[in-house]
Amino acid sequence: MLCCFGGGILSSILLAEPPVAIFSNSTNIIYASVVWYMVYYFPLDLFYRCFCFLPLRVIAAAMKEVTRTWKILAGVSQAHGRFKDALLVMVVNGWAKAAGGGLISNFEQLVRGVWKPESNELLKMSYPVKISLLGSVLFTLQHVELLPIERHHLLFIYTMFLITIKVRMMLTRSSASPFQPAEELIGRLLFGLQQASKVSKEKVTSDKDEPRVKENISKEETGASSSESSDSTRKRNPKKTPPPCLTPERTSRSRQTLNVFLSDNS
């Protein structure tokens, strides 16, 4: 229910309205419950297998994008009715109305006991969240007459754009965002992401070179220490010429006798 009605819940919180008001429509609750049961508990997974058929998936995705457009328009109009000419409030409310399921995903994960802070939609936006934000900005500008276009024309153009992009992503089976080239260009122009990438590359190369230098220094140090140790050992233990009485034969015999003595005493 949090995923299905996340936009309405988040919009109600932003506009200081009761979040449970979204559950007052019993028809929507029944529809959502029936769809949830059929997707997860239908016998033999026939309902899910039917919607795995590509033409049905394309139709369902197109219907969802149409619903997204109307949600954005409803959120912008609702915020404009409460706060006149508050552009930021209108943009945020329209964005939350359309992409509330993604924005509220962290709270939904917390309820399920699966906490993934790295998948925060505010930090790493997915395609539906990005396209909803873009649509909210466009409809807000049109609502305050800063965008010279009729509302029904904007509705048609934006909806067809959403459907086209979504169908292309489904047919090509690509999850890459179509805004990635524009994001990289804007990031390079406004925020200097290219310089940051160069700095990161330099850091990586320096990090790679540092171990080699450290290895060379350590080798030199170990070589010097080994030479010093060998010199010190030579100085400490100078070679002594054995006396004439200690010939090799005698030393070997003395060792043998010593071993025999130890073995007898043991």
Side-chain angles (χ1 to χ4, degrees), residues 109-178:
Q109 292 172 1
L110 185 61
V111 171
R112 292 190 295 112
V114 181
W115 178 243
K116 296 180 180 179
E118 67 275 4
S119 62
N120 193 346
E121 287 289 347
L122 294 175
L123 300 178
K124 297 180 181 180
M125 295 185 185
S126 58
Y127 166 73
V129 177
K130 291 179 182 179
I131 200 66
S132 300
L133 179 59
L134 177 62
S136 182
V137 172
L138 292 176
F139 280 101
T140 300
L141 295 177
Q142 191 277 330
H143 203 84
V144 296
E145 297 180 355
L146 293 178
L147 189 65
I149 188 174
E150 295 294 332
R151 180 175 298 178
H152 57 276
H153 291 163
L154 182 60
L155 280 170
F156 178 75
I157 295 172
Y158 181 73
T159 305
M160 293 305 298
F161 174 75
L162 290 184
I163 294 175
T164 303
I165 295 297
K166 188 66 177 179
V167 171
R168 184 185 67 83
M169 292 176 65
M170 293 178 66
L171 293 178
T172 57
R173 295 181 179 180
S174 65
S175 59
S177 175

Side-chain angles (χ1 to χ4, degrees), residues 13-68:
I13 294 174
L14 292 175
L15 298 179
E17 296 179 355
V20 294
I22 192 68
F23 298 107
S24 60
N25 192 343
S26 301
T27 305
N28 291 338
I29 300 298
I30 293 173
Y31 286 160
S33 301
V34 170
V35 171
W36 168 78
Y37 180 81
M38 294 179 71
V39 168
Y40 290 100
Y41 298 103
F42 198 82
L44 302 178
D45 285 340
L46 293 178
F47 186 81
Y48 175 76
R49 291 179 181 178
C50 290
F51 273 91
C52 287
F53 186 53
L54 186 59
L56 291 179
R57 288 178 58 194
V58 170
I59 295 173
M63 294 172 63
K64 183 176 181 179
E65 299 304 326
V66 173
T67 307
R68 188 188 307 276

